[in-house]
Amino acid sequence: MNPDESDGSRPLGAADLFLLWAGAAIALPEIWAGGLLAPLGLASGMAAVVLGHALGVIPLGLACVIGARHGVPAIVSTRAALGLGGARVAAVLNVVQLAGWTAVMLWIGGQAAARIFPGAGTREWTLLCGAMTIAWTLGGLHVWRRLQGVSIALLAGVSAWMTALLIRDHGWERLWAARPEGGMSFMAGLDLVVAMPVSWLPLAADYARHARTARGAFRGSVAGYFLASSWMYALGLAASAATGTDAPDTMLVGLMAGRAVAAALWIALASTLTTTFLNIHSGALSAQALLPRVPVRALAAALGLAGTAFALVIDPTKYEAF
């Protein structure tokens, strides 16, 4: 079959993949990463954001093309280069790193929710984030398609409101002139931006394999991630300049407190769902390469529970350095 011809067994169009990767990008870690660029200043920071994403999404899009053309999960596609034994090693490493990133995402979501709505503690919010994300993951492809569009529309609306409040309350001139302390070279900032889209390479084919065409997989994935992630980085950069912190929960409180606690809580919880379920599902696919007789849903539930437990008992911030 021509890679650009539609396969009726594959339900995802370019718009579906646009929403999928936009959902992955609208997340607190992206806002936080943008805040780390604040020492560059707004002008250089924005240049790093745009250039870094332009460079980083190309490998992501090409990985999606591989998935769409061959219709296999990412970990299976490594067998051609690494052999069966090498692919198993890659699968083990991928399960470990995705369980770790699941914990990091749930911990960030729990921390942010507890800061925004202190009626419950971090532990309770982390458990809620874990339970909701596991349920979202187990819903499967058709549930993702229905819910992702609604969630992304609401997340984009709240993000747009945050952006408008930021500009209204602080003004372009003040934001443009702000330059927090701390040194960072432009190339270091560029590296920080490129790393984010490239970090999704081990997962890309897991979703693009359901794409109707390779061309649609490339266009939808690249456009969705580039636009949403660039926006989140820019929002974090400007918010850090305005609030004097790069902590995402502090930024949200500083920008939204007293106006719309519910909106800030929504972006903390929903962005955790739309991003973290990708880690859990792809980790389950890698685990199934090691345990082919175990259903993906069972492995996803196990990985989600492991990530939640990790987030509760270990400081996940240390995992980033690892």
Side-chain angles (χ1 to χ4, degrees):
M1 185 184 75
N2 186 311
D4 287 327
E5 291 178 354
S6 177
D7 180 347
S9 65
R10 299 184 182 183
L12 299 186
D16 296 310
L17 288 162
F18 178 95
L19 292 173
L20 182 86
W21 287 106
I26 300 178
L28 294 178
E30 305 258 349
I31 297 175
W32 169 72
L36 296 178
L37 299 175
L40 292 176
L42 202 60
S44 295
M46 290 294 188
V49 167
V50 174
L51 179 58
H53 280 95
L55 294 172
V57 295
I58 298 303
L60 176 65
L62 294 176
C64 289
V65 169
I66 293 174
R69 285 182 172 173
H70 298 285
V72 295
I75 204 65
V76 174
S77 68
T78 64
R79 293 175 182 172
L82 303 178
L84 189 58
R88 286 174 177 166
V89 173
V92 171
L93 294 175
N94 206 36
V95 170
V96 171
Q97 70 103 2
L98 289 175
W101 280 116
T102 296
V104 170
M105 291 297 302
L106 296 177
W107 183 84
I108 290 175
Q111 289 281 330
R115 179 71 187 277
I116 296 163
F117 193 83
T122 301
R123 187 180 187 85
E124 289 74 20
W125 281 116
T126 301
L127 283 170
L128 179 61
C129 286
M132 292 172 64
T133 305
I134 292 170
W136 184 286
T137 307
L138 296 181
L141 183 65
H142 296 294
V143 172
W144 305 341
R145 289 186 71 195
R146 294 189 186 98
L147 297 182
Q148 195 82 351
V150 175
S151 299
I152 297 310
L154 293 172
L155 281 171
V158 174
S159 299
W161 189 17
M162 290 173 60
T163 304
L165 290 174
L166 180 65
I167 296 172
R168 189 194 70 183
D169 291 352
H170 299 278
W172 276 115
E173 292 184 4
R174 179 181 170 188
L175 293 173
W176 201 262
R179 200 179 187 92
E181 295 181 2
M184 175 179 282
S185 68
F186 180 81
M187 293 306 295
L190 187 66
D191 182 69
L192 182 64
V193 180
V194 172
M196 194 67 82
V198 169
S199 72
W200 288 103
L201 285 178
L203 285 68
D206 293 340
Y207 308 96
R209 68 194 176 105
H210 299 293
R212 294 176 191 138
T213 68
R215 185 176 301 172
F218 182 88
R219 289 178 176 175
S221 303
V222 166
Y225 197 88
F226 177 84
L227 293 174
S229 184
S230 297
W231 183 9
M232 293 302 103
Y233 263 79
L235 179 58
L237 171 61
S240 180
T243 61
T245 178
D246 57 27
D249 53 347
T250 304
M251 287 185 204
L252 286 175
V253 171
L255 293 175
M256 305 290 283
R259 295 189 179 95
V261 173
L265 185 60
W266 167 257
I267 198 170
L269 295 178
S271 65
T272 301
L273 288 174
T274 58
T275 303
T276 312
F277 91 88
L278 297 173
N279 293 326
I280 295 176
H281 180 68
S282 289
L285 290 177
S286 292
Q288 195 179 46
L290 303 168
L291 303 168
R293 295 183 179 180
V294 182
V296 171
R297 287 169 60 87
L299 292 169
L303 190 72
L305 291 171
T308 304
F310 185 19
L312 291 172
V313 301
I314 300 175
D315 181 2
T317 57
K318 297 179 179 178
Y319 184 78
E320 295 177 69
F322 167 74

